[in-house]
Amino acid sequence: MNKDNNIILEVRNLDVKFFQDIGTVNAVNGATFQLPEGKSIGIVGESGCGKTITAYSTIGLLPPGGKITNGEILYTQRDGSVVDTAQLRKDGKEIRSIRGRDISMIFQEPMTALSPVHTIYNQLSEMIRLHLDLNEKEIRERSIELLQMVGIPAADKRIDEYVFQLSGGMRQRVMIAMALASYPRILIADEPTTALDVTIQAQVLKVIKDLQEKLSLSLILITHDLGVVAHMVDYVYVMYLGRMVESGPVDQLLVEPLHPYTKGLLRSIPRVRGERQDRIDSIPGTVPDAYFLPQGCPFHSRCNELVGEICKKEAPERVCVGSEHYVSCHIYSGSVNEGGAIDG
Amino acid sequence: MLSYIIKRLIYMVFTIAFISVVSFIVIQLPPGDYLTTMISQMEAQGDVVSAELEAALRVRYGLDQPMHKQYFTWVTRILTRLDFGYSFAYNQPVRNLLGDRLLMTMAVSASAMLFAWIVAFPIGIISAVKQYSLFDYFSTFLGFLGMATPSFLLALVLLWVCYQVFGTNASGLFSQEFINAPWSMARVGDMLSRIWLPMIVGGFQSAAGLIRTLRANMLDELRKPYVTTAKAKGLANAFLIIKYPVRIAINPFLSSVAWMFPQLISGMSITGIVLNLPTLGPLLLNSLQNQDMYLAGSVVLILSVLTVTGTLVSDLLLAWVDPRIRYQ
Amino acid sequence: MERQMIEDNFELEFEADPNDAIYNASHWKLMWMRFRKHKLAMIGVVIVIFMYTLALFAEFIAPNDPNFTSSQYSYRPPQRIRIIDSEKNWHWPFVYGLKQARDPVTLRLNYVEDTSVRVPISLFVRGSEYTAWGRVEGNLHLFGTKDGPWFPLGTDRLGRCILSRIIYGARISTTIGLVGVLLSFVFGLILGGISGFYGGAVDIVVQRITEFLSSMPQIPLWMALSAALPANLPPLQMYFGITIILSLFAWTGLARVVRGKFLSLRQEDFVMAATLSGTSNAKIIRRHLIPTFTSHIIAQITLSIPAMIIGETSLSFIGVGLRPPTISWGVLLREAQNLRTISQAPWLLIPGLFIIATVLAFNFMGDGLRDAADPYSQ
């Protein structure tokens, strides 16, 4: 990735494990990504690949039992200093001053992610009151303004309603408004449209995209949907079994995917327009158990382009295969090895 | 909201109508009736009651009427004149016996409920937030014990412990000198100094149940996504736990109060008997033993109405705090 | 021809098997695996088995005749089992005899240990005569003493052995829950099942009845109803009378669970599939609904037993339930009704420990069963 971009958030070799009675789940295994300021990146993968856990761990929101066992999460603060949020005390003051204030999150299910027994204003104003120094009148004005900004009609009336009185799309807009309430610098959207109707999805995505550009936010979009990624982000990371297998600028990666897994993902998208597909391909097999990680390349058990025995024995290095296009696969091992530069 | 209240009130009227039928059945249950009891009492005193007199009395008291007519007479008297019938054992109208005792029953039940709440609330929340901690195990143990100990046994044990430790008999709601004294500040003070025992005994079982319910609800709520949202806002843990999961877990907590209320009132009657309280429980037992059926039926009626009213109040409370119900 | 028929039968059986037996077996097996992991539930099982063993072999286990009265043994305290005597010598377990002595301060007659009389405890002792289960006559007891009386948990006012009475009382107190729960199970299953399966108006009516019954204060009604049973009823009829009264109110909880299960299962795809394929309603219930929630029902039944036990005990305690000469734990506690008696003979409260232990055990078991009934929970 271009080094003269200002990197606002960088995750290096992140390992997250869940310690349970029946065993240890290796949820994230060496995830690495960079978020340049004002840009948008996408993290794509099947459910269970660790993309959500990676995002949650950036602001210390791991579910009970989860623990960061290795790696760094480097956040460049407003004053230019860099802090490793992985090192901050769990739910301590430092991490809390970053949560919501600097790094905000939009969740998957707007219904359950918002409290059913508090009014919208109650939940929205709380965020403003916590992070901004405004009086009650200004808080109210700011709240209404936020709802208008995300396109909620009659915002001054809606604001005193409860979440269950709104439609799914409106709920997610409230969620977005809340996330943007205290002028955050980074917005993490975790599958923001998965729970919504298809017709609503596009609208909500447009709201996110427009606001990202208008407020020059840095955006991390987490999704399993490569179609969504194509419209929303500049740069894509493809994640499999807790690590990045391929990354590249969105137009390059989608047009010319290199990793067999990325190819499989792209083939499995049903197309409506364009040439007629005879059938929708799916990737054979299932994601291996996260209790026992496979040796060698994590994808070898489902790969249809195996190079040879090496795939089952050695994990492939990350190599650069084009301008800002990286892939971890033995097929491309002959290319220039840039893994060291990243890890260093 | 209004329609909800009206609906509940209509239900309640029906329930109370049902209850009155059940209470009337209680009155009619033992062999013989009102008159047989009266006559046997008169005969015990040496009076001879002739068959003619008996028949005349039967007509006068309406006992020659079919059952449903008798029922309606009974209900109408209660509704219009608060006339619950006559107690043979005490030789006075039932109404005179109920007043004070009803008040006492309500006072003791309310304080027991309060005790259960105050104890259960923090314990339930803390043991959920600190799941699998020593405190959690302790409160779980306490919860199990509370559920497994019959209230009369707890009362006996506490009485005995009190006697061993303080050397006093802690039963009764008043000290010797106040039992028959008229109401005064001193008497109220005396009552307050003794009410803790029935409060603990009556509330312990409810508290145990509430702890279990609240803990389970809290554990559910703590895993809900809105808690993560609140954390992602940057709120402090203690604050967000009280504002969100506790606030939401309170709803089933309140509704559990509704179904625990019958249990409480019902347990209270036994507690009252063991602790020798001037409540309705001992009166009921007495009347049953003496076959004083108008009194027994009235106590059953009043206890049931008390229960149903309490349940209604806590249901309305629930509707008031939960917008999901309020806006239906 | 005959061979063909046999083969047909064989095939039929074979076809029926995978649907029922194997599926259910794996369900029960899963449940058993989860249940065994539940430590408290296993403790509960042990206690429950213990209590029922007491009940079953009461005559053999109880050291004394529970109805044997003697004024000279009135209010004897429990005798401690010792293996070391006052001169620090080791012995086979024994108890000291008791002698009466006047307390120098209160001038009350008390029992004190008489260290000069050592009564060894032996196993398999010949003692009081009994007729077990109405037919087996014997006088063999699991343990007891040969030379001198021994009342391990003391005696009551009439000098009866408390331990023996507790063991005999287990018979009534532990079975009244079972019988009562079976009765209310029948009520609850029928009404809850009808309510949940048919829904609509039927459901509303049954719901109202259930709601009505559970909003009534149970104990006062129990009191009123059991007081209406004639006091001179023979023990067996009294027992069933009380059981029926107890289950009159207890079925509502079961009905609620059954109904809830039926309602949720009715929506399930496989029931829809069965309905669409024209299977009769009765068959749907029998083949598909019942197996899937039998485990939940068992859990709920187990959890309903404690309320019955407590109900019987409470009623007998205040004197409107079972009455002497019937022996139940509630009847035993009736002996400890006032403070004076308790302070004089606190061991009269010991039957309470058995009540608590049994109720706890059923609660633990029920919790374990409930967790185990849902293999996909957590």
Side-chain angles (χ1 to χ4, degrees):
Chain A
M1 192 171 282
N2 215 334
K3 292 283 186 274
D4 37 49
N5 267 333
N6 286 323
I7 304 298
I8 188 167
L9 184 70
E10 178 170 6
V11 169
R12 287 187 192 169
N13 297 321
L14 184 71
D15 285 358
V16 179
K17 296 190 195 308
F18 282 83
F19 298 98
Q20 297 178 334
D21 304 341
I22 33 175
T24 303
V25 180
N26 305 289
V28 179
N29 309 292
T32 297
F33 71 82
Q34 291 176 325
L35 174 64
E37 184 155 17
K39 300 283 184 194
S40 52
I41 63 168
I43 301 180
V44 185
E46 291 164 285
S47 54
C49 73
K51 54 190 194 297
T52 300
I53 298 295
T54 305
Y56 275 39
S57 47
T58 57
I59 48 173
L61 279 188
L62 286 177
K67 218 174 164 217
I68 296 176
T69 52
N70 187 31
E72 294 163 302
I73 301 165
L74 303 174
Y75 166 61
T76 311
Q77 289 177 293
R78 287 177 206 249
D79 61 5
S81 63
V82 176
V83 58
D84 182 356
T85 66
Q87 300 298 326
L88 297 180
R89 196 162 58 83
K90 185 175 167 18
D91 297 333
K93 215 168 179 176
E94 294 91 345
I95 189 75
R96 278 192 281 123
S97 69
I98 295 175
R99 282 181 197 161
R101 178 74 185 97
D102 290 359
I103 306 180
S104 255
M105 226 164 159
I106 303 174
F107 296 92
Q108 190 169 355
E109 298 246 8
M111 185 65 209
T112 53
L114 291 169
S115 159
V117 298
H118 294 87
T119 61
I120 292 164
Y121 178 64
N122 187 325
Q123 300 182 60
L124 189 53
S125 62
E126 169 184 70
M127 181 88 160
I128 305 171
R129 201 169 292 128
L130 188 67
H131 297 296
L132 303 181
D133 191 18
L134 297 177
N135 64 32
E136 284 303 309
K137 189 161 166 277
E138 288 163 338
I139 291 174
R140 177 102 192 163
E141 282 164 10
R142 168 91 182 130
S143 307
I144 294 175
E145 179 193 313
L146 279 163
L147 290 186
Q148 284 164 343
M149 190 172 82
V150 294
I152 291 182
D156 52 333
K157 293 205 180 62
R158 285 277 147 125
I159 196 162
D160 291 315
E161 292 189 351
Y162 290 92
V163 183
F164 59 86
Q165 292 169 291
L166 301 181
S167 69
M170 287 298 149
R171 282 175 202 154
Q172 196 56 294
R173 284 169 199 252
V174 169
M175 192 82 225
I176 297 168
M178 209 161 77
L180 300 178
S182 45
Y183 309 101
R185 301 167 71 206
I186 302 175
L187 180 65
I188 302 175
D190 178 19
E191 304 259 13
T193 55
T194 311
L196 303 179
D197 284 349
V198 184
T199 46
I200 309 292
Q201 285 184 3
Q203 294 173 14
V204 170
L205 286 174
K206 189 168 173 345
V207 170
I208 297 177
K209 183 73 192 158
D210 290 352
L211 287 171
Q212 188 245 329
E213 279 165 7
K214 192 172 138 202
L215 306 172
S216 53
L217 287 166
S218 316
L219 174 73
I220 302 176
L221 180 73
I222 293 158
T223 179
H224 62 277
D225 189 343
L226 277 170
V228 168
V229 155
H231 300 287
M232 294 287 292
V233 302
D234 309 320
Y235 195 87
V236 190
Y237 289 87
V238 179
M239 215 168 159
Y240 185 79
L241 262 190
R243 76 194 72 177
M244 278 59 188
V245 292
E246 184 171 6
S247 65
V250 70
D251 32 8
Q252 213 179 95
L253 189 128
L254 293 187
V255 174
E256 203 188 329
L258 294 178
H259 197 282
Y261 178 63
T262 317
K263 289 181 198 166
L265 275 184
L266 273 169
R267 268 199 307 273
S268 63
I269 302 175
R271 281 181 205 142
V272 180
R273 274 171 300 193
E275 76 275 27
R276 229 190 95 193
Q277 261 178 311
D278 287 336
R279 60 196 195 87
I280 299 165
D281 286 328
S282 61
I283 304 172
T286 51
V287 184
D289 205 335
Y291 287 107
F292 309 101
L293 289 178
Q295 251 201 334
C297 171
F299 191 59
H300 77 81
S301 60
R302 299 168 77 192
C303 185
N304 52 10
E305 295 178 48
L306 289 179
V307 176
E309 277 303 297
I310 189 167
C311 289
K312 292 178 191 166
K313 287 192 178 127
E314 259 179 62
E317 294 286 328
R318 186 168 189 244
V319 293
C320 182
V321 286
S323 99
E324 297 182 43
H325 193 162
Y326 300 84
V327 65
S328 309
C329 178
H330 288 298
I331 300 172
Y332 310 97
S333 295
S335 316
V336 191
N337 183 353
E338 280 225 7
I342 297 294
D343 291 340
Chain B
M1 181 67 178
L2 191 68
S3 72
Y4 177 78
I5 295 178
I6 292 172
K7 207 169 85 183
R8 291 301 321 238
L9 281 175
I10 292 174
Y11 275 156
M12 190 170 108
V13 170
F14 273 106
T15 313
I16 290 178
F18 252 121
I19 290 172
S20 69
V21 175
V22 173
S23 310
F24 187 71
I25 293 174
V26 166
I27 294 175
Q28 301 297 336
L29 266 182
D33 54 35
Y34 189 62
L35 208 59
T36 0
T37 326
M38 195 165 127
I39 288 167
S40 66
Q41 212 172 43
M42 284 163 81
E43 276 170 348
Q45 286 162 5
D47 292 346
V48 182
V49 182
S50 66
E52 290 83 32
L53 181 61
E54 191 188 328
L57 283 171
R58 207 161 269 286
V59 175
R60 198 179 136 206
Y61 287 106
L63 294 173
D64 55 337
Q65 304 279 329
M67 221 33 124
H68 66 273
K69 279 210 175 138
Q70 286 190 38
Y71 166 73
F72 281 113
T73 322
W74 178 71
V75 169
T76 325
R77 280 192 182 149
I78 292 176
L79 288 179
T80 54
R81 285 181 276 155
L82 272 182
D83 175 4
F84 288 90
Y86 195 80
S87 157
F88 290 98
Y90 292 86
N91 258 326
Q92 49 180 315
V94 168
R95 184 173 30 152
N96 297 358
L97 295 163
L98 297 176
D100 248 18
R101 285 180 177 259
L102 177 60
L103 208 70
M104 286 298 154
T105 307
M106 279 160 69
V108 174
S109 306
S111 62
M113 189 97 245
L114 210 66
F115 170 80
W117 269 45
I118 292 172
V119 167
F121 195 70
I123 295 184
I125 288 169
I126 295 173
S127 63
V129 173
K130 307 256 175 233
Q131 198 188 2
Y132 303 133
S133 65
L134 209 63
F135 182 88
D136 184 28
Y137 286 122
F138 176 72
S139 76
T140 308
F141 172 74
L142 207 71
F144 270 126
L145 204 65
M147 281 176 57
T149 314
S151 51
F152 73 89
L153 192 59
L154 182 65
L156 284 179
V157 171
L158 285 183
L159 271 183
W160 180 55
V161 169
C162 272
Y163 184 75
Q164 293 294 317
V165 177
F166 305 113
T168 55
N169 184 349
S171 69
L173 211 45
F174 299 102
S175 314
Q176 204 64 43
E177 65 265 34
F178 285 109
I179 286 183
N180 291 313
W183 279 107
S184 63
M185 282 317 284
R187 192 168 189 245
V188 172
D190 182 53
M191 185 179 108
L192 289 180
S193 74
R194 303 185 72 109
I195 206 170
W196 60 271
L197 187 64
M199 195 168 92
I200 294 175
V201 172
F204 192 53
Q205 204 168 13
S206 304
L210 287 177
I211 288 174
R212 279 169 65 99
T213 329
L214 189 58
R215 179 177 177 274
N217 291 339
M218 274 298 288
L219 285 177
D220 276 356
E221 295 301 329
L222 282 172
R223 296 197 186 101
K224 294 264 171 81
Y226 66 80
V227 176
T228 314
T229 311
K231 274 192 175 181
K233 282 178 178 174
L235 294 169
N237 269 356
F239 175 81
L240 74 87
I241 284 174
I242 291 172
K243 176 165 181 185
Y244 292 103
V246 169
R247 170 70 182 75
I248 294 173
I250 273 187
N251 296 346
F253 184 66
L254 287 177
S255 63
S256 72
V257 167
W259 58 254
M260 237 164 234
F261 205 76
Q263 229 181 48
L264 186 89
I265 296 265
S266 134
M268 226 11 151
S269 24
I270 300 257
T271 311
I273 293 166
V274 181
L275 291 181
N276 194 20
L277 305 178
T279 53
L280 290 170
L283 191 66
L284 176 63
L285 182 64
N286 242 322
S287 59
L288 287 170
Q289 281 164 345
N290 296 329
Q291 295 229 344
D292 193 358
M293 292 326 285
Y294 276 98
L295 184 53
S298 308
V299 174
V300 168
L301 179 70
I302 282 182
L303 282 178
S304 307
V305 170
L306 201 61
T307 312
V308 174
T309 320
T311 312
L312 177 79
V313 169
S314 49
D315 273 354
L316 293 183
L317 212 60
L318 176 66
W320 178 56
V321 297
D322 195 334
R324 284 171 294 187
I325 298 178
R326 207 189 318 151
Y327 279 87
Q328 257 172 16
Chain C
M1 182 68 190
E2 202 185 334
R3 196 190 152 79
Q4 184 61 44
M5 265 178 69
I6 292 169
E7 267 179 16
D8 275 349
N9 269 333
F10 185 76
E11 220 168 77
L12 270 175
E13 263 171 35
F14 190 76
E15 259 177 21
D17 247 326
N19 289 336
D20 278 338
I22 293 176
Y23 170 74
N24 286 339
S26 69
H27 173 78
W28 295 122
K29 209 171 156 188
L30 256 173
M31 194 169 152
W32 173 237
M33 277 165 56
R34 288 176 62 87
F35 183 71
R36 266 197 357 206
K37 275 197 198 142
H38 203 293
K39 284 193 203 85
L40 282 180
M42 290 315 285
I43 295 175
V45 170
V46 172
I47 296 177
V48 166
I49 291 177
F50 175 74
M51 293 295 175
Y52 281 101
T53 314
L54 288 189
L56 193 59
F57 301 106
E59 286 87 354
F60 172 62
I61 297 172
N64 295 304
D65 180 347
N67 294 315
F68 178 76
T69 61
S70 159
S71 57
Q72 79 180 92
Y73 294 144
S74 176
Y75 289 138
R76 277 166 70 109
Q79 282 155 284
R80 238 177 88 188
I81 301 175
R82 299 169 185 276
I83 44 174
I84 308 172
D85 67 14
S86 51
E87 274 109 44
K88 303 233 168 359
N89 297 318
W90 289 70
H91 295 278
W92 174 255
F94 69 94
V95 292
Y96 279 128
L98 292 179
K99 63 181 178 197
Q100 286 195 313
R102 210 164 275 281
D103 188 306
V105 185
T106 62
L107 298 181
R108 263 214 333 234
L109 264 182
N110 279 339
Y111 287 97
V112 287
E113 283 190 329
D114 181 359
T115 46
S116 63
V117 183
R118 208 161 46 75
V119 186
I121 297 164
S122 13
L123 290 174
F124 303 107
V125 199
R126 300 270 163 199
S128 57
E129 301 281 335
Y130 55 77
T131 311
W133 310 307
R135 56 189 65 207
V136 184
E137 303 211 347
N139 58 9
L140 190 68
H141 295 261
L142 180 62
F143 59 93
T145 49
K146 282 172 197 147
D147 357 290
W150 177 39
F151 304 104
L153 297 180
T155 60
D156 63 6
R157 187 171 49 92
L158 298 176
R160 292 173 295 197
C161 171
I162 303 264
L163 177 66
S164 303
R165 289 177 72 72
I166 289 175
I167 292 171
Y168 276 81
R171 218 162 243 188
I172 302 287
S173 294
T174 57
T175 55
I176 211 157
L178 277 192
V179 178
V181 152
L182 280 183
L183 273 177
S184 43
F185 166 68
V186 174
F187 277 132
L189 195 65
I190 293 174
L191 285 168
I194 290 175
S195 183
F197 190 77
Y198 289 101
V202 181
D203 183 32
I204 291 172
V205 172
V206 179
Q207 275 297 95
R208 286 288 152 269
I209 299 175
T210 322
E211 230 167 71
F212 169 66
L213 280 178
S214 51
S215 71
M216 299 280 279
Q218 282 188 3
I219 293 179
L221 280 167
W222 278 345
M223 281 165 66
L225 293 177
S226 49
L229 295 174
N232 52 4
L233 224 53
L236 192 67
Q237 285 177 33
M238 194 71 190
Y239 174 87
F240 281 111
I242 297 286
T243 316
I244 290 171
I245 289 171
L246 289 177
S247 41
L248 267 184
F249 294 93
W251 61 270
T252 53
L254 261 170
R256 204 174 298 141
V257 172
V258 172
R259 172 179 172 273
K261 279 279 139 200
F262 261 112
L263 279 184
S264 62
L265 282 169
R266 212 155 55 119
Q267 320 291 343
E268 299 267 354
D269 293 341
F270 70 91
V271 180
M272 180 63 87
T275 316
L276 285 179
S277 64
T279 319
S280 76
N281 281 356
K283 205 169 168 191
I284 297 176
I285 296 180
R286 203 180 63 243
R287 285 287 294 273
H288 299 282
L289 295 192
I290 292 180
T292 36
F293 70 71
T294 315
S295 37
H296 287 269
I297 300 294
I298 293 175
Q300 182 64 29
I301 284 181
T302 316
L303 287 170
S304 311
I305 293 177
M308 293 266 175
I309 295 180
I310 291 185
E312 178 275 322
T313 321
S314 305
L315 289 183
S316 306
F317 174 76
I318 58 172
V320 291
L322 300 169
R323 297 174 177 104
T326 309
I327 305 172
S328 85
W329 292 341
V331 172
L332 292 185
L333 281 171
R334 196 169 162 66
E335 294 281 326
Q337 223 177 9
N338 59 61
L339 190 53
R340 238 189 55 222
T341 324
I342 304 172
S343 56
Q344 195 186 343
W347 52 89
L348 289 176
L349 288 175
I350 292 174
L353 293 180
F354 281 75
I355 298 171
I356 295 177
T358 311
V359 169
L360 269 182
F362 274 112
N363 272 327
F364 288 160
M365 247 174 83
D367 274 3
L369 283 170
R370 193 177 44 195
D371 291 351
D374 201 350
Y376 304 106
S377 67
Q378 281 186 349

